[in-house]
Amino acid sequence: MKNPIGEPNWRECCGWRWTARRHRRRRSTLEPGRRRFLAGPSVADLADGGPDSSSCSASGSGKSLTSVDFGAQLQPPDYTFDRERLAALSRFGILDTPPERGFDDVVELTTLICETPVALVSFVTDDRQWFKARVGFDACQTDLNSSVCAHALIEPDLLVVPDLTIDERTKYNPLVTGQPFIRFYAGAPLRTADGHVLGSLCAIDTKARPGGLTAAQTSALRNLGRQVVAQLELRHAVAQRDALLTEQKEAEIRRNGLLEIGDRLRDATSVSEMTRAAAAVVGETLGVSRAAFGRFDEAGEYVEVEPDWTADGVVSAAGRHRLADYGPNLLRGVLNGQALVVTDVTTDPATAGHTEALLRLDIRALVNIPVVEHGRAVAMLIVHARQPRSWSPETLTYLRNIADRIEMGVSRLRAEAQQRILNSELSHRMKNTMALVQAVASQTLKSVPDKAPVKAFSDRLLALSMAHDVLLQQDWRSAQVRNIVDAAICTFNEVGRFDISGEQVTLGSRAALSLALLLHELTTNAVKYGALSNELGRVQIAWRVETTDGDAGFRLRWNETGGPRIDPPSRRGFGSRLLGMGLSGTGDAALNYHRSGLEVEFTASLAELQA
């Protein structure tokens, strides 16, 4: 039979419904050295509304068992309850597992060799003995007062009882005094490499055998007992190996998930896009039913769940939820910055009294990881499963890492938004300053007869202002060459006569301003004297990165065609000196005045331009 969560229900598998908690409570209250073990409900049980007579009846017998007190005769050895022994038994994970051929073969051999109708591989816990393999015995387990194997736990070698009816330890055993009326017992202790005895391999007969076992049978039973232990340890080693492989696979999935979420968060441009991406990664890597991100209101009374990721067939939980609807104190810890971890909402104290609202959303297990800002939980990462689920420490660490990355990503987006506001304000103030400088210059120079220098000065101020705008788009740290070129030529009416090409190259702020001024000078001269002074001329602007001996260099070429012939200037004004200084101020500029038009080539170290 299976219990509601899918695990074997040993308390009903062989017709017994054994109340272990009540049994342990009674045992702990008895005097040292004298414990009472029950074959069924005691008078006290019936008086206080305990198990009914059918609850502790042998399967199919219909006969009620009553309280029996045989004192020390039915008392198993104290070693039965040894914590280290029980912990060793638990580590092997053998209890309540399905039959396995390796153990079944051993009991078959035991009956053949020992010539008995019954053979068992028995493991003894603190409240029952459970049979991994059995021949000739219907029940899959018994309680401790029916256990002869418990006495084998303290034997250095085999325990052989020729006649169970006369041995003080067993003559009042319910299986001796009643069905199936066993009479002979021989058991080999199942002793592990570290000395813990977990149970026994036993041969049982319904007839007394005064001679016990033969020498050959004794040796064979001892060897078969060792084979059971070897099979048990091999099974444990295989389970450990499989668990390790599974954990390695899951760890790889989590590592890939963190890498993927890093890429997605880095590319996200809004908080909602970021949280949706994180939820999708969590859901896909952990195989859960729902993953989402929720934001708390200022009072901590509601959570706004953003569009969530759900598995097939699972409804969305997006929307506004009142926290009190899921229990008055369910998320109190989360609001205080503590994670909420529930393996089963129907049994966990935090949720057991308010399961209806959770089950309506198909939630059986959950994890809520808070996202904290300035010491206050402002949001939480939400993970739901449709079935009870144990959340491993590695999984919880993984979720905390994702929550931290979401927190950092949200902080980055907010910082970028604040930076854009600041840049916009700086741009506005810069333009006002440039306009003021231009107005002062115009007023100061209005008496100058030659207006051309005044206009050139104003145009250069405008070029600087536009270069500043380009830099502000990249937080004042850098700018793309293409953006600088577009900004430099956009104020002229001849944009369609430019042929622009080049790869994506980023320049630092100083080089960006320098390039903007150079392009402004070249474009102004082309409009006045060069290719753009007539209707046929064109200008080609091209750039590329070249690598020589491992050093990257930047090369930009300005080439005019179709315009009038241009002679070298007879005097070097500000514009000529500016062009001669090149991109980085080192003079790496080549100016050639061809019959077809001006050609200028600037070269510089890319590292210097990006500094």
Side-chain angles (χ1 to χ4, degrees):
M1 297 180 63
K2 299 285 186 179
N3 67 14
I5 63 172
E7 295 293 331
N9 191 338
W10 61 265
R11 304 195 186 281
E12 297 183 9
C13 70
C14 53
W16 291 90
R17 290 166 61 186
W18 176 249
T19 311
R21 176 186 59 79
R22 191 181 296 274
H23 164 70
R24 287 192 294 271
R25 182 183 65 193
R26 286 196 296 269
R27 187 183 69 216
S28 65
T29 60
L30 295 178
E31 298 177 5
R34 192 173 191 274
R35 295 192 179 97
R36 180 180 64 185
F37 292 88
L38 301 183
S42 67
V43 175
D45 281 329
L46 297 174
D48 68 6
D52 59 25
S53 60
S54 63
S55 297
C56 294
S57 297
S59 177
S61 70
K63 180 180 179 181
S64 176
L65 300 179
T66 57
S67 177
V68 181
D69 186 356
F70 296 121
Q73 287 89 342
L74 289 181
Q75 178 180 318
D78 288 341
Y79 179 62
T80 306
F81 311 102
D82 183 83
R83 291 184 179 180
E84 293 183 2
R85 188 192 76 84
L86 294 172
L89 178 59
S90 177
R91 282 196 298 272
F92 279 97
I94 191 69
L95 296 175
D96 304 316
T97 56
E100 297 176 40
R101 182 63 178 271
F103 295 97
D104 291 343
D105 288 345
V106 170
V107 293
E108 290 282 355
L109 283 172
T110 301
T111 60
L112 294 174
I113 294 172
C114 296
E115 300 176 346
T116 59
V118 178
L120 305 169
V121 172
S122 172
F123 292 100
V124 181
T125 74
D126 63 343
D127 61 3
R128 59 171 172 147
Q129 62 175 354
W130 176 81
F131 309 130
K132 175 63 179 174
R134 62 191 189 275
V135 171
F137 198 86
D138 292 336
C140 64
Q141 65 184 8
T142 73
D143 42 27
L144 282 181
N145 64 319
S146 301
S147 175
V148 180
C149 295
H151 297 286
L153 299 178
I154 60 173
E155 294 296 323
D157 196 6
L158 302 187
L159 170 64
V160 180
V161 183
D163 189 345
L164 294 169
T165 63
I166 61 176
D167 191 289
E168 291 296 326
R169 297 168 294 183
T170 61
K171 62 183 181 180
Y172 297 121
N173 187 298
L175 301 180
V176 176
T177 60
Q179 289 289 345
F181 298 104
I182 63 175
R183 292 294 180 263
F184 170 77
Y185 177 94
L190 301 180
R191 183 174 284 105
T192 64
D194 52 2
H196 296 296
V197 182
L198 309 182
S200 74
L201 168 66
C202 63
I204 298 174
D205 202 341
T206 54
K207 297 178 182 179
R209 296 172 64 166
L213 299 176
T214 66
Q217 290 171 334
T218 298
S219 177
L221 184 60
R222 185 183 296 114
N223 291 338
L224 287 173
R226 285 196 289 265
Q227 285 301 311
V228 171
V229 174
Q231 183 77 10
L232 186 66
E233 292 179 338
L234 175 62
R235 183 183 183 279
H236 182 53
V238 171
Q240 286 183 315
R241 180 206 63 187
D242 292 345
L244 178 60
L245 292 176
T246 300
E247 174 54 32
Q248 289 175 342
K249 182 179 179 180
E250 292 176 351
E252 182 67 21
I253 292 174
R254 290 193 295 268
R255 281 194 295 270
N256 292 337
L258 288 175
L259 292 175
E260 182 179 358
I261 204 169
D263 294 337
R264 292 197 188 186
L265 296 187
R266 183 174 57 250
D267 298 335
T269 57
S270 67
V271 173
S272 60
E273 180 184 355
M274 183 175 293
T275 55
R276 283 196 300 270
V281 171
V282 170
E284 292 165 1
T285 56
L286 295 185
V288 295
S289 60
R290 182 186 294 111
F293 190 81
R295 294 191 166 278
F296 297 117
D297 66 346
E298 288 294 330
E301 296 179 355
Y302 290 86
V303 59
E304 186 73 31
V305 178
E306 299 190 3
D308 50 1
W309 177 95
T310 59
D312 293 339
V314 178
V315 299
S316 172
R320 188 176 176 85
H321 298 262
R322 193 169 75 100
L323 302 185
D325 292 340
Y326 303 91
N329 301 316
L330 179 62
L331 293 177
R332 177 177 296 176
V334 176
L335 291 170
N336 291 328
Q338 301 171 358
L340 174 64
V341 181
V342 176
T343 60
D344 188 345
V345 300
T346 63
T347 59
D348 192 287
T351 56
H354 302 81
T355 59
E356 184 177 350
L358 296 170
L359 295 177
R360 276 201 306 268
L361 292 173
D362 219 3
I363 303 170
R364 192 64 186 275
L366 63 89
V367 176
N368 292 335
I369 304 292
V371 175
V372 180
E373 289 183 5
H374 307 296
R376 173 179 172 269
V378 297
M380 64 178 175
L381 177 63
I382 303 166
V383 181
H384 295 156
R386 305 176 74 173
Q387 299 295 333
R389 175 166 177 166
S390 295
W391 306 97
S392 68
E394 293 79 11
T395 297
L396 296 178
T397 299
Y398 172 65
L399 293 175
R400 288 189 182 95
N401 285 337
I402 289 180
D404 290 342
R405 294 182 184 219
I406 293 175
E407 181 181 356
M408 289 187 291
V410 170
S411 298
R412 173 181 63 81
L413 290 178
R414 289 179 177 173
E416 289 175 353
Q418 292 174 349
Q419 185 66 50
R420 284 192 293 271
I421 294 174
L422 178 60
N423 287 345
S424 177
E425 181 64 22
L426 286 173
S427 177
H428 177 71
R429 291 173 182 258
M430 181 68 72
K431 287 180 179 179
N432 288 342
T433 301
M434 290 291 186
L436 179 61
V437 171
Q438 193 170 23
V440 171
S442 297
Q443 289 296 319
T444 303
L445 302 175
K446 66 180 180 179
S447 60
V448 176
D450 187 0
K451 299 300 181 183
V454 177
K455 185 177 185 307
F457 178 72
S458 297
D459 290 343
R460 287 164 184 154
L461 286 178
L462 179 61
L464 282 175
S465 176
M466 298 185 69
H468 282 133
D469 287 342
V470 173
L471 284 170
L472 284 170
Q473 296 175 9
Q474 297 290 327
D475 301 331
W476 197 259
R477 295 188 298 269
S478 61
Q480 294 291 323
V481 172
R482 180 59 189 250
N483 294 341
I484 300 170
V485 172
D486 290 344
I489 67 175
C490 70
T491 56
F492 297 90
N493 296 326
E494 309 294 340
V495 175
R497 296 167 67 181
F498 286 89
D499 300 314
I500 303 171
S501 63
E503 57 192 281
Q504 182 172 327
V505 180
T506 302
L507 302 183
S509 58
R510 181 177 176 182
L513 292 174
S514 177
L515 177 59
L517 286 175
L518 292 174
L519 292 174
H520 172 77
E521 292 297 327
L522 290 169
T523 305
T524 300
N525 290 336
V527 171
K528 287 182 177 180
Y529 314 111
L532 302 181
S533 64
N534 61 21
E535 297 180 355
L536 301 176
R538 299 191 66 80
V539 177
Q540 179 189 40
I541 305 175
W543 64 90
R544 64 181 184 274
V545 175
E546 300 176 337
T547 302
T548 304
D549 297 331
D551 295 329
F554 178 75
R555 186 180 298 273
L556 183 141
R557 184 170 176 267
W558 170 286
N559 188 35
E560 300 179 23
T561 57
R565 178 175 179 173
I566 300 178
D567 295 322
S570 57
R571 64 182 184 86
R572 288 176 58 84
F574 174 80
S576 298
R577 291 194 297 271
L578 182 63
L579 293 174
M581 293 174 63
L583 288 169
S584 58
T586 59
D588 293 327
L591 282 72
N592 297 302
Y593 296 89
H594 300 300
R595 182 179 296 273
S596 59
L598 174 66
E599 179 185 17
V600 182
E601 191 168 79
F602 301 104
T603 58
S605 167
L606 183 61
E608 292 181 5
L609 296 180
Q610 293 179 334

